[in-house]
Amino acid sequence: MDTRLRSRWGAAESTDFDQAGLCAALREALNDNLPAGWTLEENQFVGPTSMAEHALDIIRVAIDEIDFWGMAQFYDNGD
């Protein structure tokens, strides 16, 4: 997640945020939004052994429920 944010923001902008704190909070929020038996481990979603055919929709919903910019404001370094 950290690498993805840095690649999107660029090195200069990424220093404006507590990157480690934001990544940890995003990961926790995402795991909280996933259904039981699902988790984000490292950079891979892990679910039940037999994946539902709508697995991508489950992941999209979990991601869409996160208020990214609200969280980013909390981890803004104040620049």
Side-chain angles (χ1 to χ4, degrees), residues 9 13 17 26 66-74:
W9 286 343
E13 280 190 54
F17 296 89
L26 287 168
I66 295 173
D67 176 13
F68 174 81
W69 290 111
M71 294 179 100
Q73 283 183 317
F74 183 80

Side-chain angles (χ1 to χ4, degrees), residues 21-42:
L22 178 57
C23 287
L26 287 168
R27 187 174 294 279
E28 181 179 342
L30 184 54
N31 279 322
D32 288 347
N33 290 345
L34 290 169
W38 287 77
T39 187
L40 175 62
E41 294 181 7
E42 296 296 321

